[in-house]
Amino acid sequence: MSLGDCAAPMALEVMIAVWGGVNTALRAQLLAWYDANARDLPWRVRPAAQAAGAKADPYRVWLSEVMLQQTTVPHATPYFLRFTARWPTVGDLAAEADGEVMAAWAGLGYYARARNLLACARAVAGEHGGIFPDTEDGLRALPGLGPYTAAAVAAIAFGRPANVVDGNVERVMARLFAVDQPLPDAKPELKRLAAGLVGNERPGDWAQALMDLGATVCRPKQPQCDRCPVAAHCAGLAGGEPETYPRRTAKAERPHRHGVAYILTRGSEVALVRRPPKGLLGGMLALPSSDWRAARWSETEAMAAAPAMADWRSVGEVEHGFTHFTLTLQLLRAEGEADGVTQGGVIWSPRRDLDGLPSVFLKAAKAGLNGLL
Ligand code: SF4
């Protein structure tokens, strides 16, 4: 019997009893699958280790969850290992200078998240003696710590029966229950359905089991239903087209913007500037650049916005995709000293040290210096 069958007309008390049984069986099957198949992740305490008394470290759980928002496990893992080697505790991270943490974050994107990370670390270190609050509400009160992360840390680090719903879990719920309402409107319903499966038994493992199911079996494309531990309960599979869930409304096109990046060199050094603290890539080191706007920059406009009087030459352009827009960055390069608008604000950096730049500027520097990094 699939979960979708519960929607068929039947007496309320029968439905509740049937649903309770389905719920119990589904939970048991997924947890048993997790016991045997849990991914080995550096921030995770697997079931066998838990049985031997090991406990999840709230700092590592929190850090991993922040890093994993909007990026993949393979991409986030080396960052996680570098962060925890350099800052083994939340107090170590809290005591670090902003610029060091921002540079270490470069390449993970979403720099506002790095700023929130530091704000949260400093609140835990300064106001809670370096110990994370152990409830969802307590975690939620920390600066920069959103509802998803609070639920994940509460469940995984402190064993609280919190409802941990990310994109993976939304997809699993949409398929299990064959939810026809498209995203994003379906989000509250998917969250409600996920909440119905949360229990007091092993809440951290339950949250991680759902994450692993979504990441390795109930994948966005070509779900592996033939090896799914909850296939017997899946209304999407019963309907024959599980991969068509979650339904989606057509995406609006991302707007496109144009800007100019200036690569000013002085021998083996490149001129960088620190971006304003607020806004996109706020506080990060960057190549000097123009505003990013809808219209392409003419040569005259690009020269007028340049950070120094110099013999600027066009050296191509690069494309970059942000979440909310795409960007064409025209590249101008010159050899010379900084003057005019950037005088005093330029940081000369050796070419070999540009790896810490945000992806868009690293891409621009590599293209503009034509492999001379
Ligand atoms: Fe996902 Fe298929 Fe499992 Fe349903 S049966 S939960 S669609 S993997």
Side-chain angles (χ1 to χ4, degrees):
M1 170 171 200
S2 74
L3 293 169
D5 295 335
C6 288
M10 65 173 82
L12 183 60
E13 59 275 22
V14 175
M15 207 165 126
I16 291 169
V18 169
W19 167 238
V22 170
N23 185 334
T24 304
L26 187 153
R27 278 184 52 86
Q29 285 157 356
L30 185 56
L31 284 168
W33 173 83
Y34 180 71
D35 287 342
N37 296 283
R39 286 178 295 171
D40 200 1
L41 303 173
W43 47 85
R44 173 176 284 177
V45 178
R46 299 174 76 200
Q50 282 182 54
K55 294 219 177 308
D57 177 347
Y59 168 58
R60 294 168 70 86
V61 173
W62 163 73
L63 184 62
S64 67
E65 289 298 338
V66 177
M67 288 183 167
L68 284 169
Q69 289 168 31
Q70 311 278 341
T71 191
T72 60
V73 166
H75 187 64
T77 298
Y79 285 89
F80 177 85
L81 294 174
R82 279 199 293 275
F83 266 64
T84 49
R86 189 166 170 190
W87 302 297
T89 69
V90 70
D92 297 325
L93 181 63
E96 187 54 275
D98 289 20
E100 291 294 314
V101 176
M102 300 300 267
W105 188 269
L108 272 175
Y110 302 94
Y111 295 93
R113 198 161 290 151
R115 288 194 290 278
N116 287 338
L117 184 89
L118 264 177
C120 184
R122 287 171 183 160
V124 172
E127 297 161 26
H128 298 271
I131 297 170
F132 279 85
D134 66 358
T135 64
E136 202 173 345
D137 284 348
L139 289 158
R140 188 76 180 86
L142 292 170
L145 202 151
Y148 167 79
T149 309
V153 176
I156 298 168
F158 298 114
R160 304 282 183 186
N163 190 22
V164 185
V165 183
D166 64 359
N168 277 332
V169 175
E170 285 180 346
R171 181 172 63 258
V172 172
M173 291 302 132
R175 290 172 176 174
L176 271 177
F177 293 89
V179 175
D180 277 319
Q181 187 181 28
L183 284 172
D185 292 350
K187 279 177 176 283
E189 173 65 1
L190 297 174
K191 195 166 184 181
R192 188 187 68 76
L193 292 166
L197 290 169
V198 172
N200 288 319
E201 188 200 351
R202 302 176 62 189
D205 285 351
W206 173 253
Q208 293 176 98
L210 270 181
M211 291 175 188
D212 280 18
L213 185 75
T216 63
V217 177
C218 195
R219 302 188 307 215
K221 290 178 187 158
Q222 298 177 331
Q224 312 282 295
C225 304
D226 54 344
R227 61 186 190 93
C228 175
V230 295
H233 309 288
C234 183
L237 178 61
E241 293 187 315
E243 68 283 356
T244 63
Y245 298 94
R247 312 284 201 221
R248 292 181 191 280
T249 43
K251 258 193 183 170
E253 283 261 308
R254 280 186 292 178
H256 191 74
R257 294 185 191 167
H258 294 269
V260 186
Y262 300 91
I263 302 158
L264 183 64
T265 56
R266 186 177 71 178
S268 62
E269 296 176 316
V270 179
L272 302 180
V273 291
R274 191 164 295 283
R275 292 176 64 85
K278 296 233 183 287
L280 188 66
L281 308 176
M284 300 298 299
L285 279 179
L287 293 172
S289 79
S290 67
D291 290 340
W292 299 348
R293 66 184 197 191
R296 192 175 170 83
W297 289 71
S298 70
E299 195 178 319
T300 313
E301 289 175 316
M303 294 296 176
M309 293 290 288
D311 181 18
W312 292 103
R313 286 183 300 117
S314 172
V315 288
E317 58 187 43
V318 292
E319 306 286 330
H320 192 77
F322 292 97
T323 318
H324 301 298
F325 67 95
T326 52
L327 175 72
T328 299
L329 214 43
Q330 299 157 239
L331 306 177
L332 294 185
R333 191 176 84 201
E335 174 78 14
E337 287 291 334
D339 60 17
V341 281
T342 56
Q343 191 161 32
V346 157
I347 299 157
W348 289 102
S349 172
R351 290 182 190 189
R352 64 177 181 281
D353 287 351
L354 297 183
D355 278 350
L357 288 178
S359 312
V360 61
F361 290 111
L362 182 58
K363 192 190 283 185
K366 280 183 171 167
L369 289 166
N370 200 18
L372 296 177
L373 284 180

